[in-house]
Amino acid sequence: KKITIKPRFGERFLLRMLEEIYNIRITKSESSQKRTVEWNHYIKRIIAFIWVQKLANANLHGLPKIQIKKQYKGATVKGRIDIRKSIIPYYLNNEIISTNREKKIDNTIAQILLQAYFIIQKDFGLGKGLNIPDTAQNAINQIKTSIKGKKKITIADYKNIKYNAIYLNWKSIVDFSWDIIQRKQLSLKQQNSDNGFGFFIDMAEVWEQYLRSLLQ
């Protein structure tokens, strides 16, 4: 069975709106078969382009960070001395326990962004003729540096993400990345997944951005 869901106003008008919003131009195909192939190809390219732009726009104040509490043991004090925990170590080895709060890139957010980046890079053609803005590339480089290994992110982990006011603009790209990861995992579970592709676009948001772009 085959199910096809197309834009209400047609594929051409959707592409026209996306061209206007993101300042890109999509060439026309010569045959109906080629148009079908190109339609899937261009949608994937557009999704990759949207993801990159969202990442670049979000990276205004750096990657979202959280405070973590670190404990140190030794002759040097880092932060505040924990007197209760320092009694025995000081008596035995002349060492003290101190604690300090440090800011660290949110690992859950970083994992979601990096996993989505690898999917887009492999399946959506990111990097093949699609330039990545410096702000987006800087974010990707920081994420790669901060993450030591891939970790599975659960739905509970995703729902428990907290955004401070300064990092609230990251929510859009994190949600978008999470959708990409979930659709990839779903396609891997399905048989003949290489014969199909699906992605839903918020047409209300596209329409608003299209009008805003025209009025500007």
Side-chain angles (χ1 to χ4, degrees), residues 184-196:
K184 177 64 176 181
Q185 292 177 352
L186 180 62
S187 66
L188 291 175
K189 294 179 182 179
Q190 296 174 340
Q191 293 182 351
N192 301 324
S193 59
D194 56 336
N195 295 327

Side-chain angles (χ1 to χ4, degrees), residues 72 77-81 98-101:
Y72 299 93
V77 177
K78 295 183 179 181
R80 294 184 177 182
I81 299 176
S98 58
T99 58
N100 188 28
R101 292 186 177 275

Side-chain angles (χ1 to χ4, degrees), residues 29-30 38 47 51 56-57 61 80 85-86 104 129 136 140 144 148 152 155 192 195 201 210 216:
S29 59
E30 299 176 354
E38 285 186 350
I47 290 172
W51 188 87
N57 295 335
H61 306 289
R80 294 184 177 182
K85 292 183 179 180
S86 298
K104 181 182 178 182
I140 294 171
K144 288 182 177 179
K148 296 181 179 180
K152 182 178 180 180
I155 296 178
N192 301 324
N195 295 327
I201 299 176
Y210 174 65
Q216 288 176 347

Side-chain angles (χ1 to χ4, degrees), residues 2-3 14 21-22 33-34 37 41 55 76 88 96 114 129 139 145 151 153 168 170 173 181 187 204 213 216:
K2 180 179 179 181
I3 299 176
L14 172 60
I21 293 170
Y22 296 106
Q33 182 178 3
K34 189 176 180 181
V37 175
H41 168 74
L55 180 61
T76 304
I88 296 177
I96 54 178
L114 188 61
T145 302
K151 175 186 175 183
I153 303 300
L168 192 59
W170 282 90
I173 178 63
I181 294 171
S187 66
S213 178
Q216 288 176 347

Side-chain angles (χ1 to χ4, degrees), residues 34-114:
K34 189 176 180 181
R35 282 199 299 270
T36 302
V37 175
E38 285 186 350
W39 169 250
N40 292 335
H41 168 74
Y42 286 130
I43 285 295
K44 288 184 177 182
R45 298 284 286 172
I46 290 169
I47 290 172
F49 187 86
I50 293 173
W51 188 87
V52 168
Q53 292 300 314
K54 281 181 175 288
L55 180 61
N57 295 335
N59 194 27
L60 298 176
H61 306 289
L63 287 160
K65 294 181 175 62
I66 56 176
Q67 282 194 348
I68 59 173
K69 187 177 180 181
K70 281 194 172 183
Q71 187 179 89
Y72 299 93
K73 182 179 180 181
T76 304
V77 177
K78 295 183 179 181
R80 294 184 177 182
I81 299 176
D82 192 325
I83 297 177
R84 178 182 294 180
K85 292 183 179 180
S86 298
I87 295 175
I88 296 177
Y90 184 76
Y91 178 76
L92 297 176
N93 302 314
N94 200 28
E95 294 179 335
I96 54 178
I97 304 296
S98 58
T99 58
N100 188 28
R101 292 186 177 275
E102 299 179 0
K103 287 188 175 181
K104 181 182 178 182
I105 294 176
D106 190 308
N107 185 66
T108 302
I109 291 178
Q111 285 283 351
I112 291 175
L113 293 175
L114 188 61

